[in-house]
Amino acid sequence: MSRQMVRPGGRSARVQASVHAAVRELMSEVGRDALTVPLVAQHAGVTPSTIYRRWGNLQELLSDVAVERLRPDTAPEAHGTLASDLTAWAEQFLDEMASPAGRAYTRDALLGDPDGSNAGQCSAYAADQINLILGRAAERGEKTPGVETVIDRVVAPLMYRILFRPDRLDAAYARRLVAEVLQPDRLMTR
């Protein structure tokens, strides 16, 4: 996530949870542009110095919240074949990431990410989901591309288009990327 490590439980986790909740609530109440560290601190019941000490600045806090919001809630659904599993995942990924909230969270995650750790975490979320899909396919005896191949051929083009060329971006594009990555010359045995 961001530069601080959070221990499970304890005061640190409570502070993180209350500050994250305050950011989410205030974003919906007053909008992102109206957020300030003192406003978030007051809403969360902490001092501004707590936020500055832990996150450094508002942008790093927003980045931390965004990374948490971009984490998938559930495992990818199983539909019975690699093609159907990966297609359903890619369509859902596109739908979530191309939404106004998904695009805003992506921008925030990257803007407050001086060392690249948040971008790495977001990439790891996608890689973990893809690895699960590929693992299930391999267990069924299907040949699969590698995780990095799917990242390069499906996730990377989707993210580029979401961020820089969102016009005419639809589920058909995601389906085409998946079909191309599953061509026999791109598959290997695990």
Side-chain angles (χ1 to χ4, degrees):
M1 290 181 17
S2 66
R3 59 192 169 119
Q4 79 282 352
M5 291 299 293
V6 178
R7 293 182 323 234
R11 183 182 189 295
S12 181
R14 286 191 304 274
V15 167
Q16 181 180 15
S18 67
V19 171
H20 277 217
V23 167
R24 290 190 306 271
E25 291 164 12
L26 287 167
M27 284 176 99
S28 66
E29 290 172 16
V30 301
R32 184 190 177 288
D33 292 341
L35 292 182
T36 64
V37 169
L39 180 63
V40 171
Q42 179 184 16
H43 200 79
V46 300
T47 63
S49 64
T50 298
I51 293 175
Y52 289 122
R53 188 171 45 255
R54 184 178 180 107
W55 284 280
N57 60 43
L58 180 63
Q59 190 57 61
E60 287 187 36
L61 169 59
L62 293 176
S63 183
D64 193 43
V65 170
V67 170
E68 185 64 27
R69 299 298 287 177
L70 291 170
R71 182 168 37 104
D73 294 334
T74 60
E77 291 184 28
H79 297 277
T81 67
L82 174 57
S84 59
D85 287 358
L86 194 54
T87 299
W89 179 85
E91 289 176 352
Q92 181 178 353
F93 180 83
L94 173 60
D95 187 51
E96 291 173 3
M97 298 303 286
S99 72
R103 289 169 45 117
Y105 285 132
T106 300
R107 281 191 301 273
D108 280 341
L110 298 176
L111 284 172
D113 189 23
D115 64 1
S117 62
N118 286 346
Q121 186 60 55
C122 291
S123 178
Y125 293 154
D128 289 347
Q129 296 256 303
I130 293 164
N131 194 47
L132 183 62
I133 291 167
L134 298 178
R136 288 191 303 222
E139 288 173 7
R140 291 188 299 260
E142 294 179 81
K143 289 185 177 183
T144 65
V147 172
E148 291 303 314
T149 300
V150 176
I151 295 282
D152 291 345
R153 305 280 181 149
V154 177
V155 178
L158 285 174
M159 286 307 301
Y160 180 84
R161 292 287 301 270
I162 288 165
L163 293 173
F164 302 113
R165 300 192 69 197
D167 57 314
R168 291 182 273 150
L169 183 57
D170 58 15
Y173 179 69
R175 287 191 296 272
R176 189 176 82 236
L177 292 174
V178 170
E180 290 170 0
V181 82
L182 295 181
Q183 291 174 356
D185 61 329
R186 288 192 169 70
L187 299 178
M188 61 183 181
T189 55
R190 291 181 122 215

